[in-house]
Amino acid sequence: MPGEQDTPPTVDPVETPADAPARRWYRRPLVVWGALAVVVLAVVSVTVGIGVRTAVADPATGMLRIAHLSPVTPTVDMYVSGPDLPETLVAPGVGYRGTSPYLTEPAGTYTLTARPAGAAPTSPPAVQVSLEVPAGTAQTAAFVDSTTSGAPELQVLDDQTAPAPGGSAQVRVVQGANGVGALDVELTGGPPLARDLFYGSTTPYVTVPAREWEVDIRSRLGSTNQTTVTLPDAGVSTLFVGREPDGQLIVEAVPDAATTAGVPAPGTEPTTPPATPTPRPTPDPETPLPTPPRVPPVPRGGTEAGLGGLATPTLLSAVGDWFSGLFSDEPDAPPAPRMPLAAALAPPEGLRPTGVQIPSIGLAALQLTDLRIDYRGALQVPTDFGQVGWYTSSAVPGDPGPAVFAGHVDTRRGPAVFAQLDRLRPGDAIEVPRSDGETARFTVDSVEYYPKDTLPSDRIYGPSTTPQLRLLTCGGPFDAGTLSYQDNVVVFASVR
């Protein structure tokens, strides 16, 4: 089915929080926003090394940091507002590859706002989202480019708050290098951390021995990076992957909430941490965080969903404005979406699609077959030419993420279930009933043709924070010698 085959970090001098406002904090290659040292938030911490702070967060508070992972987005000013906190500039002039120290605030709902750098505080926001900060949790709000609209947005991922077991470390990868293709990331001599990791997604934490590691990163488009990082005993880290303007990959290990805390507000006197470490916050079981969208494993190659040579190619593409809707005057900020998790998460027990209906072409498939990745690494196709197949590792239609379906275009005797897929037009409706009695409704965005060996796997299987639908079949020129079509037809649809 569509898809494709595939020096330890510099340590800054130790300094006290009082020194921070006078110094531009830089890490190589990620920039740390020292401007956050002026944020009006009540937190207490002591610097003990590069970005590593002794966590003293109150269990009634939550922790939040911000990361700029959008290589094509200009510098922005970041604002925060919330309970008893008016909108406050917390980070002026934030550029790509920046991560902030954690901010610690009482549990509640906060609004994060980004404006073009230097814009007046009353100017329309470029991005504005609301974020629930539950007690005892830590989160990263990542400024990324939406993989569906191309517009910048803030996505949230959950950070580990408990230290790793003694003698070990925990680590995950966040892919912030847009335009370089999917990445494979592994620790030399250790476990692979990621396979086919798309931009704007994260991996689960993995537990490894605490020591110095060589990180080997390879892009499907040819870029590579070998970096040595130290994963400390009981430490928890995120490997943020970015890129230079020429596409060169860069990576840095950044400590997470288990070993990091915030920056004191102006007028807050630095204090010495207590002799006995303050217990780290425990998540409030009554305020569970949402499940992140899922990113399915990527099959290799194209689909062989046609035999008879009856398809007629049609090429349609919907071109959107990259910055459409960038500025918004909406008074209420929408909730921040969760960053997709690059792991095949099982859907809720028993929940699945039960059919596909497309009125404009008279399609009413009332039975579905399950599709998986076969022994060749390719996506299976239905054995029944009259049935549509659902890739079970993709999203359940209506849930965030890409839901992928495939069906044959024809047989040697005549048309099959997806024979008229190329007749769809932007705006056509697609309905997918589900086993819970709900119906997911989508609108066609585009119908596109691709040679089977150059399918855009990032667009088909890549992460999405909103429900998306992909319908696939064969098309293009028919090779009578191989009884195979040269192209695949892909229908891209979004929820309506």
Side-chain angles (χ1 to χ4, degrees):
M1 203 69 220
E4 303 174 25
Q5 177 63 31
D6 347 325
T7 59
T10 304
V11 178
D12 290 342
V14 175
E15 62 184 356
T16 67
D19 298 326
R23 177 177 177 268
R24 295 184 67 194
W25 283 55
Y26 285 95
R27 285 197 250 172
R28 203 166 50 227
L30 289 172
V31 182
V32 178
W33 307 339
L36 283 171
V38 299
V39 62
V40 186
L41 298 174
V43 291
V44 177
S45 64
V46 174
T47 305
V48 297
I50 174 173
V52 180
R53 300 170 184 275
T54 303
V56 293
D58 188 303
T61 66
M63 302 171 69
L64 175 68
R65 68 178 172 187
I66 305 169
H68 192 311
L69 303 177
S70 172
V72 299
T73 299
T75 302
V76 297
D77 293 338
M78 296 298 304
Y79 296 77
V80 173
S81 62
D84 302 321
L85 178 68
E87 186 172 85
T88 304
L89 176 63
V90 298
V94 177
Y96 176 52
R97 305 201 316 256
T99 58
S100 77
Y102 282 98
L103 313 174
T104 304
E105 270 293 284
T109 301
Y110 291 82
T111 298
L112 308 181
T113 302
R115 293 185 172 89
T122 56
S123 64
V127 176
Q128 187 174 65
V129 297
S130 62
L131 174 64
E132 189 69 26
V133 179
T137 64
Q139 301 174 81
T140 296
F143 196 72
V144 300
D145 299 318
S146 169
T147 55
T148 53
S149 69
E153 67 178 7
L154 280 166
Q155 298 179 3
V156 181
L157 59 156
D158 303 324
D159 300 344
Q160 178 66 277
T161 58
S168 65
Q170 291 183 324
V171 63
R172 66 177 173 184
V173 183
V174 172
Q175 218 283 48
N178 201 358
V180 301
L183 303 178
D184 292 342
V185 184
E186 64 181 28
L187 301 177
T188 303
L193 299 182
R195 289 284 184 266
D196 295 321
L197 183 63
F198 288 104
Y199 170 74
S201 61
T202 182
T203 67
Y205 285 101
V206 173
T207 301
V208 299
R211 63 178 177 85
E212 188 176 86
W213 288 92
E214 181 180 84
V215 183
D216 187 4
I217 303 179
R218 297 184 181 276
S219 163
R220 193 178 286 148
L221 300 183
S223 299
T224 61
N225 178 283
Q226 289 80 39
T227 300
T228 301
V229 299
T230 299
L231 301 180
D233 185 18
V236 181
S237 305
T238 293
L239 299 181
F240 283 100
V241 180
R243 67 170 175 83
E244 300 288 3
D246 62 2
Q248 177 62 40
L249 295 172
I250 51 179
V251 63
E252 184 180 4
V254 178
D256 285 351
T259 50
T260 305
V263 176
T268 301
E269 294 298 326
T271 63
T272 302
T276 302
T278 302
R280 292 182 174 85
T282 301
D284 183 351
E286 296 185 0
T287 55
L289 293 172
T291 300
R294 46 195 275 171
V295 183
V298 181
R300 298 182 174 89
T303 177
E304 298 299 333
L307 295 175
L310 300 178
T312 302
T314 301
L315 177 60
L316 298 173
S317 62
V319 181
D321 183 0
W322 273 55
F323 296 99
S324 174
L326 180 62
F327 294 96
S328 172
D329 293 323
E330 293 292 330
D332 297 322
R338 316 305 292 184
M339 178 174 282
L341 183 65
L345 304 177
E349 185 174 0
L351 183 58
R352 54 174 292 114
T354 58
V356 176
Q357 301 175 18
I358 311 178
S360 64
I361 59 174
L363 174 65
L366 303 180
Q367 290 185 339
L368 298 179
T369 187
D370 290 347
L371 303 179
R372 298 178 176 84
I373 297 177
D374 65 17
Y375 69 95
R376 302 166 300 169
L379 185 64
Q380 295 174 322
V381 292
T383 56
D384 185 332
F385 290 88
Q387 283 192 340
V388 175
W390 171 54
Y391 179 30
T392 57
S393 289
S394 69
V396 176
D399 288 356
V404 180
F405 292 80
H408 288 275
V409 65
D410 57 20
T411 72
R412 293 187 180 92
R413 298 182 181 88
V417 64
F418 273 173
Q420 299 190 62
L421 208 63
D422 63 350
R423 296 190 178 184
L424 289 175
R425 298 293 184 268
D428 284 349
I430 302 175
E431 296 185 349
V432 183
R434 310 190 331 169
S435 59
D436 60 358
E438 300 292 330
T439 297
R441 293 177 170 83
F442 298 87
T443 298
V444 173
D445 298 319
S446 64
V447 181
E448 305 179 25
Y449 275 72
Y450 296 96
K452 292 179 180 178
D453 58 351
T454 61
L455 286 165
S457 59
D458 55 340
R459 290 190 61 198
I460 296 170
Y461 300 98
S464 172
T465 60
T466 59
Q468 299 289 317
L469 184 68
R470 314 289 187 240
L471 307 180
L472 302 102
T473 191
C474 278
F478 183 75
D479 187 334
T482 62
L483 296 178
S484 174
Y485 289 94
Q486 295 181 14
D487 298 336
N488 279 153
V489 181
V490 184
V491 175
F492 295 90
S494 54
V495 72
R496 65 183 174 95

